[in-house]
Amino acid sequence: MSKRRIAVAVLALIAVGGVLAAIAAMGPVNPAMWGPSAATPQEKRWQAVAPGRVEACSGQIKVSAAVVGVVHKVLVKANDKVFAGEPLIQLADDELRARLAAAEAQVAMRERARDERSATGSAKTRRKAQDAVADAERTLYDARSAVDRAAARLRTKAGSEADLTAARLALTRAQNELSTRQGELRTIDDDALPTSLEGQLTIARAEYAVARAALDKMTVRAPIDGTVLQVNVREGEAVSPGSPQPPLQLADLSALCVRSELDERDIGAVRVGQPVIVRATAFPGREFEGSVSSVAPLIEPGQLDPPGSRNQSDVDVVRVVVGLTVPGDLTIGMKADVYFRADKVAAP
């Protein structure tokens, strides 16, 4: 071997020895130094993320008039809390009140004519039961009118909460009484045909009931206990069942949800009861807890912006409703992002 080759071999051995010495000085080798493939993957915190909007769990109810009419009085305003059956808007009803008065007079006249002829046996029993039902219906109508007046006085600070409570209790009693009297009438076994006067009275009472029902439709009432969100009419404006904009909108704000749009590719990672975190741009740094209430059985085009995007999503999504444990300052209609935890499903 030539001296040149011997020198090259010696230099190579010296270089290898230096590298080994440097590695030994570094201590034990950490597998994480060689890249993520050799490391244990960190536990994933979020299974999926989806955009959504805050809404009332009861839904946003658009209250419209049952008939065409002119607004006589608006009895509530935005943010007012209302109870089921409370009058919200009163339509002009002078003509219908006159028709009801005429029908009531006709009933009274037919009752007097019928009473001039006495009845015996089962016919007498049936007559008494029919009169009891008619009296209970009038009592119920008067009780509902009393509740309406008490609610209106409370709105104007002219009445008290105690007066309204008493009126509502009286209405409940009247409803129970009518149900009882109707049940008693159904149990009467009488196949005899009514007399001519009894038939005329029955027709008069039916006409009175129709006139009263028509008058009742002139009052727009709250379908549920809730809070008025919007009032879109003023006194003197015309309303109808087909109006493009409802006169009122209300919702039950005691329970808020987030209706989110989950990418269909993540549907397998989400299930009912799964805990979530909700974040809203309006409240940076704050998190609101909740859980998945329902997952729709339908895939459809998305309508909300996905997180971090300025354009509408063109992907297909599934609607996922999330119930909020403590809504805090979140407001209906507010945009929010839903983060689905990788934790175990929350207990129902």
Side-chain angles (χ1 to χ4, degrees):
M1 181 181 294
S2 65
K3 293 181 178 181
R4 180 180 178 84
R5 290 182 178 178
I6 292 173
V8 171
V10 171
L11 291 175
L13 289 173
I14 293 173
V16 172
V19 172
L20 293 175
I23 292 175
M26 292 173 61
V29 177
N30 184 357
M33 295 173 58
W34 304 106
S37 61
T40 301
Q42 189 177 14
E43 183 180 357
K44 186 178 179 182
R45 186 181 180 191
W46 309 117
Q47 291 283 64
V49 182
R53 281 190 185 275
V54 180
E55 63 178 33
C57 296
S58 66
Q60 192 166 321
I61 300 176
K62 299 177 180 180
V63 184
S64 61
V67 295
V68 177
V70 176
V71 176
H72 173 64
K73 187 177 296 184
V74 180
L75 304 173
V76 294
K77 60 184 182 300
N79 291 322
D80 280 352
K81 294 185 182 299
V82 298
F83 59 85
E86 181 176 353
L88 307 175
I89 296 175
Q90 182 64 54
L91 304 181
D93 57 7
D94 293 343
E95 181 180 348
L96 291 179
R97 288 188 179 277
R99 186 182 302 175
L100 180 65
E104 190 172 14
Q106 185 72 10
V107 169
M109 182 181 68
R110 296 300 179 185
E111 282 181 345
R112 286 195 300 270
R114 183 208 61 180
D115 292 342
E116 290 177 355
R117 295 188 179 182
S118 61
T120 60
S122 60
K124 182 178 181 180
T125 302
R126 182 187 60 190
R127 178 183 294 188
K128 290 180 62 177
Q130 289 173 340
D131 289 349
V133 169
D135 291 341
E137 288 175 343
R138 291 193 186 96
T139 301
L140 177 61
Y141 178 72
D142 293 340
R144 183 177 291 113
S145 299
V147 171
D148 292 350
R149 291 192 297 271
R153 287 196 301 268
L154 184 61
R155 292 287 176 200
T156 59
K157 309 300 183 183
S160 66
E161 191 72 38
D163 293 339
L164 177 58
T165 300
R168 295 181 69 181
L169 288 174
L171 175 61
T172 300
R173 289 195 296 269
Q175 291 170 334
N176 294 336
E177 178 68 13
L178 176 58
S179 179
T180 299
R181 298 307 178 189
Q182 289 173 334
E184 292 175 349
L185 178 60
R186 286 192 293 268
T187 61
I188 295 177
D189 185 13
D190 182 17
D191 296 332
L193 293 175
T195 65
S196 175
L197 294 176
E198 289 175 341
Q200 292 173 3
L201 175 57
T202 300
I203 293 173
R205 284 173 171 170
E207 292 174 347
Y208 174 77
V210 170
R212 186 172 58 201
L215 181 61
D216 285 343
K217 291 180 180 179
M218 305 307 286
T219 302
V220 180
R221 300 180 181 276
I224 63 169
D225 295 344
T227 301
V228 178
L229 302 179
Q230 284 184 343
V231 178
N232 302 315
V233 293
R234 291 175 293 183
E235 295 179 5
E237 293 183 344
V239 295
S240 69
S243 299
Q245 186 178 40
L248 279 138
Q249 293 191 52
L250 60 85
D252 179 7
L253 302 185
S254 62
L256 296 186
C257 296
V258 177
R259 186 176 298 274
S260 63
E261 295 184 348
L262 180 70
D263 192 314
E264 64 172 333
R265 293 170 294 186
D266 295 324
I267 190 172
V270 172
R271 54 203 180 279
V272 174
Q274 185 170 350
V276 304
I277 289 295
V278 175
R279 296 173 180 168
T281 306
F283 304 108
R286 294 180 61 182
E287 294 183 342
F288 304 87
E289 295 185 352
S291 61
V292 176
S293 299
S294 66
V295 180
L298 175 67
I299 303 296
E300 53 188 329
Q303 298 179 353
L304 298 175
D305 297 339
S309 171
R310 292 180 177 273
N311 301 318
Q312 273 198 337
S313 171
D314 57 357
V315 300
D316 290 335
V317 299
V318 60
R319 312 286 177 182
V320 178
V321 178
V322 169
L324 294 170
T325 305
V326 181
D329 297 323
L330 294 178
T331 304
I332 289 181
M334 184 177 290
K335 288 185 177 181
D337 293 330
V338 179
Y339 295 78
F340 298 87
R341 287 185 181 274
D343 304 347
K344 295 180 179 179
V345 176

